[in-house]
Each structure stands twice: as C-alpha cells, then as structure tokens.
C-alpha cells in the first residue's frame, strides 16, 4: 500500500514511517519542519519519499496525495503551548490543515484515514463515586488547587472519587486549546467519512514517550521535559503532588497501532475512535523517579504548582484497541522508561 504520513519527520510520525516501511508499505512523508518542533534537521528513513511542505497549502497537499491509497495524519501542533496567543497557530496547523487535507482526499478519492488524536479530547478521565457511581467531574477550581486540594470531588455529592479507565464512549470535554483543536479534527474527519464513504480511525494517543522525543520546548510532553532537566543536571520539577495518574505508552506501540488501524478496515462512512495506551496507570511522580534513578540524576522535586487546563487522572481503556484492531501494547513501563532515560533526545 502507498501511504502518506503527514508530520512524518516528527517524534511519533517518524516511528510510524519506520513501522510502515518495515511492514512493506511504500511511504511518502509530508512535513513542514516547523522550527518550534525541529531545531535541527531530522533524520528521515531513506526508504521514504520526503516532501517539505505545509499541510495547510492546497497545492502541496494535492501533490503529496498523488498515487496514495491511505493517509496517516500525524501533523499537528501538540502540547499545551505557552498561552492563548498560541490559539491561531494551533487552529491553523491542526484544524485548517486537516480541512485542507480532507478536502483534497475527497477530490482524489483517497478513502482511508488514520488520524492522530489524543486523550485530551476527554478532559478528565473516568471516575467512580462510591455513592453516585460513574460521574464526570467538571474543571477543578482554582481555589482548591491553590490550597493543595488536587483531587476533583464528585460533582453531585462532593465525595472523593476513584479513577477508572476512560472508554471511547465518554463525552468529549476539551479543556485547553490543543484539546479543542483535536476535537475539531475528529469532527472534520467524521464529516469527511460520512460525505465520502471513507474509513476513518481516530487513534486517541495517551502519554507517548520514547526515542526521538524533542528536547525541552513549551510544546514537549512531560517525559521529555523531565528527561531534559536531568540532562542539564537539574531535578525534574513535578507539578501538584505528583499523584496524577497517566497512561504512559511507548512510541513503538503507538506506531504498531497505526499499522493495525490500516490493516483492520472498520465500517465505512463514519469515524471510529480508539484509545492507544498501555492500559496501565502510573503516577507522574513515579515516572519522574524512575527516570531520575535510571539516568543517575538528582531526585525529582514536588513543586505544588499546577497548570491551568491540566487534568488530574486519565488512563486508557484498551479494550477497543484489542477487540477492533487486534492491538496490544508490548513495551512495559519499566523497560521503556529505563531505555528512554539513557536515549539521547532529539535536538
């Protein structure tokens, strides 16, 4: 199969390219090489055709789609960004770029899409109240966070909640700019699938880490931020109390999920969301301690600070990935984090 990978020079995209080529597919990469992501020239798999261009440009996308049977759409601005001044660039690269791509796919009759989505579309993860059952807490209150009360209470009775895996049927509740653009990407892809009869799978990545993560930038993931601090000889600075639960999934497993999404053709005409995680919960503090120990650097420091838009707990239910795509994560938390601690970061 000839596959276009947008954002194929990036952290996740480059691993998707490698996995596709390893599985015998013909790959074309389209990447704008944005300076916020690529401070140095990235290494691209020699077996891939590489086009430098922006997914927001119609002529560039038209050329990139020539002869293509499927698209893995990885190109996006990621992370929480700096502030709301980032809103136009996020909407441009994530939503306008997706719209330009989907319109070109419709014109050319390219009927298969794998979209890189994110856990951020859910807002908070899954929660159960001992009295009220499964509930959806609202945004945490600044006054509570300022006082060190980080756990969201039950929205009905204010009792403490228990974190449970979030499923793909959970309501969408974006709580920052990046999350809002990811929800919009999914809606655009759903409209494209309905209008063309194409197949679309939205892979909702959880906390991805592994080789080729970029060095510390405002758009980097937490694992990269901690790893960069250790490389500078500084302790990882852990927000809140370090008890935030996350699902850390290795980038090799994410790349394999993209392969699985291309192999398993879902029903045409609508978007199918699929969580991509390890299915295992670990705290941010635990991740920082494992990285620091493996790297041989200073121990993490709990700051008590918080970021507006962050959520407390979110862990993936991996049932649909297993049942629909036949995909299971294979890299364990301990082996993946230890290897990541010793890998050089991308410049």
């Amino acid at each position: 199969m000839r596959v276009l990978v947008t954002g194929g020079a990036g952290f996740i995209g480059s691993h998707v390219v490698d996995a596709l080529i390893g599985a015998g597919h013909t790959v074309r990469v389209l990447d704008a090489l944005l300076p916020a992501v690529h401070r140095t020239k990235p290494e691209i798999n020699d077996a891939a055709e590489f086009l430098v261009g922006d997914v927001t440009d119609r002529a560039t996308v038209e050329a990139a789609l020539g002869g293509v049977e499927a698209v893995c759409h990885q190109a996006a601005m990621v992370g929480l960004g700096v502030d709301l001044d980032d809103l136009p660039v996020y909407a441009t690269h994530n939503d306008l770029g997706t719209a330009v791509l989907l319109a070109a796919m419709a014109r050319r009759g390219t009927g298969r899409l794998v979209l890189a989505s994110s856990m951020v579309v859910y807002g908070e993860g899954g929660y159960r109240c001992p009295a009220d059952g499964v509930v959806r807490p609202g945004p945490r209150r600044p006054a509570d966070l300022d006082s060190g009360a980080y756990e969201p209470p039950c929205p009905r009775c204010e009792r403490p909640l228990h974190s449970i895996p979030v499923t793909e049927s959970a309501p969408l509740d974006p709580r920052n700019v990046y999350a809002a653009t990811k929800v919009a990407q999914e809606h655009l892809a759903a409209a494209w699938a309905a209008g063309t009869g194409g197949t679309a799978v939205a892979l909702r990545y959880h906390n991805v880490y592994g080789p080729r993560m970029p060095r510390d930038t405002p758009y980097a993931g937490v694992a990269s931020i901690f790893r960069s601090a250790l490389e500078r000889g500084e302790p990882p600075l852990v927000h809140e109390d370090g008890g935030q639960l996350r699902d850390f999934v290795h980038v090799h497993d994410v790349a394999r999920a993209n392969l699985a999404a291309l192999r398993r053709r879902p029903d045409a005409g609508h978007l199918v969301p699929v969580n991509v995680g390890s299915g295992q919960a670990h705290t941010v503090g635990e991740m920082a301690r494992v990285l620091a120990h493996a790297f041989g650097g200073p121990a993490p420091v709990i700051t008590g600070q918080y970021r507006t838009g962050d959520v407390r707990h979110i862990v993936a239910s991996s049932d649909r990935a297993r049942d629909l795509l036949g995909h299971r994560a294979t890299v364990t938390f301990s082996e993946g984090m230890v290897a990541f601690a010793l890998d050089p970061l991308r410049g």
Side-chain angles (χ1 to χ4, degrees), residues 154-185:
C154 176
R156 298 173 187 168
C157 69
E158 295 285 317
R159 285 184 173 87
L161 298 175
H162 175 66
S163 172
I164 60 175
V166 65
T167 68
E168 292 86 353
S169 62
L172 303 185
D173 185 16
R175 299 188 180 183
N176 55 58
V177 170
Y178 173 57
T181 65
K182 281 296 170 182
V183 170
Q185 281 187 308

Side-chain angles (χ1 to χ4, degrees), residues 24 34 47-48 75 177 227 250 269 304:
L34 297 176
V177 170
R227 177 66 176 72
H250 196 275

Side-chain angles (χ1 to χ4, degrees), residues 294-314:
F295 188 84
V301 172
I302 305 297
T303 68
Q305 298 175 351
Y306 63 88
R307 296 189 301 180
T308 302
D310 269 351
V311 299
R312 182 59 176 174
H313 303 305
I314 182 162

Side-chain angles (χ1 to χ4, degrees), residues 1-9 13 16-17 20 25-31 48-55 57 60-75 97 100-102 104-105 108 110 112-115 258 262:
M1 186 186 305
R2 184 180 294 275
V3 183
L4 173 65
V5 182
T6 68
V16 173
V17 169
L20 288 168
H25 297 290
T26 302
V27 177
R28 179 179 294 145
V29 171
L30 176 63
D31 199 296
E49 178 187 358
F50 183 45
L51 302 178
V52 178
D54 199 312
V55 75
D57 182 75
T60 297
V61 172
E62 286 277 4
L65 283 171
V68 163
E69 301 165 74
V71 176
C72 286
H73 184 32
Q74 309 292 318
V100 171
L101 173 67
L102 293 173
M105 289 175 67
R108 283 192 166 268
T110 308
R112 302 189 68 177
L113 173 71
V114 178
L115 172 68
N258 277 264
L262 285 175

